[in-house]
Amino acid sequence: MSTFDELKKMWCKHQEAASVPAAYDQNAIDKIVRTRTKKNINIAMQYFWAAFTLQIIVYAMLSNVMIKYGSDGETLLLASLGVVLFLPFTIVLMTRFKAMAVAKPEGDHSENSIYTYVLRQQKLLQSFYNFKRRYELILIPLASAIGVFLVFKLYVPGGIETHITGAVITFVITLVSCGAAIIKENKKNFEQPIQQLSALLQDFQQK
């Protein structure tokens, strides 16, 4: 049974329970569609707030390193590279999610308007997800390498040169941990919402 068939069935049951003729009400169906669309976008927004908070922490830590150890050229260069590395991700994150947050059905909330609204949200979410998957292939390994190098250089006596094995193990553990977390967040915050929005769009086309 399609999503729209389920929505119509739910609407008819509601109308019958209220002792009102169970006629198909386009406005009610559209309201349910908007609610389900918003629900899926809100799931994606959970990622936005978590990622935004994490990036603020990263920028704060790197800025602290730059200020505290800026007299060392190598440390300053790596910390600056870390900031530059995260900037494109932050910019795209802010741009795409702001567009999703402010998007609303246009015009008279007709069926075509609702379809355009759902389509725009689905495209924005899919676009960021595509960017995220590609950019993280560069971001995560480089950011992990910078983080491990700085930690060993600043806080471990002897640095990486003295603890090559420990640094490599730390780097691998970091990559595996980040990879596992990313796979989980991708499925929850992107793949499932995108699939739900795509299902709504398919139901619109089959009506």
Side-chain angles (χ1 to χ4, degrees):
M1 180 182 294
S2 70
T3 303
F4 268 93
D5 289 337
E6 293 176 357
L7 294 175
K8 291 177 182 178
K9 186 176 180 181
M10 291 170 57
W11 170 250
C12 290
K13 285 183 178 180
H14 175 75
Q15 291 292 75
E16 289 172 356
S19 299
V20 177
Y24 170 66
D25 190 314
Q26 181 65 47
N27 290 331
I29 296 297
D30 288 346
K31 183 177 180 180
I32 296 174
V33 171
R34 290 197 300 272
T35 300
R36 295 189 66 168
T37 301
K38 184 178 180 180
K39 177 181 178 181
N40 285 291
I41 295 301
N42 284 342
I43 293 175
M45 283 293 178
Q46 293 173 6
Y47 166 82
F48 166 78
W49 290 113
F52 184 64
T53 300
L54 176 61
Q55 287 174 57
I56 290 177
I57 294 173
V58 170
Y59 287 134
M61 292 176 63
L62 290 174
S63 297
N64 180 66
V65 169
M66 292 168 66
I67 294 172
K68 191 173 182 179
Y69 303 98
S71 58
D72 180 78
E74 186 177 52
T75 300
L76 179 62
L77 177 62
L78 287 174
S80 300
L81 180 60
V83 172
V84 172
L85 189 61
F86 274 92
L87 274 178
F89 192 88
T90 303
I91 292 171
V92 175
L93 177 76
M94 296 290 292
T95 302
R96 301 290 166 79
F97 276 86
K98 179 181 178 181
M100 284 189 285
V102 302
K104 295 180 181 179
E106 299 178 355
D108 57 358
H109 289 196
S110 64
E111 182 176 322
N112 184 61
S113 173
I114 297 299
Y115 176 83
T116 302
Y117 165 68
V118 177
L119 179 62
R120 174 174 170 75
Q121 297 292 63
Q122 191 265 351
K123 284 186 174 181
L124 285 169
L125 189 56
Q126 183 69 64
S127 176
F128 177 77
Y129 182 44
N130 292 340
F131 167 80
K132 176 181 184 292
R133 287 186 298 174
R134 291 193 300 267
Y135 198 74
E136 282 177 337
L137 293 176
I138 301 172
L139 175 65
I140 299 304
L142 288 181
S144 298
I146 291 172
V148 171
F149 187 90
L150 288 176
V151 167
F152 274 78
K153 178 180 176 62
L154 300 177
Y155 305 110
V156 179
I160 284 183
E161 293 81 2
T162 308
H163 306 279
I164 292 292
T165 302
V168 171
I169 292 175
T170 303
F171 177 70
V172 171
I173 291 175
T174 302
L175 283 183
V176 172
S177 301
C178 289
I182 288 171
I183 290 173
K184 183 178 180 181
E185 76 184 11
N186 283 350
K187 183 176 181 180
K188 175 185 176 183
N189 299 112
F190 294 97
E191 293 176 5
Q192 292 179 354
I194 289 172
Q195 289 173 359
Q196 292 294 322
L197 294 175
S198 296
L200 284 173
L201 292 172
Q202 290 176 0
D203 287 336
F204 264 110
Q205 294 172 345
Q206 294 172 2
K207 288 182 65 179

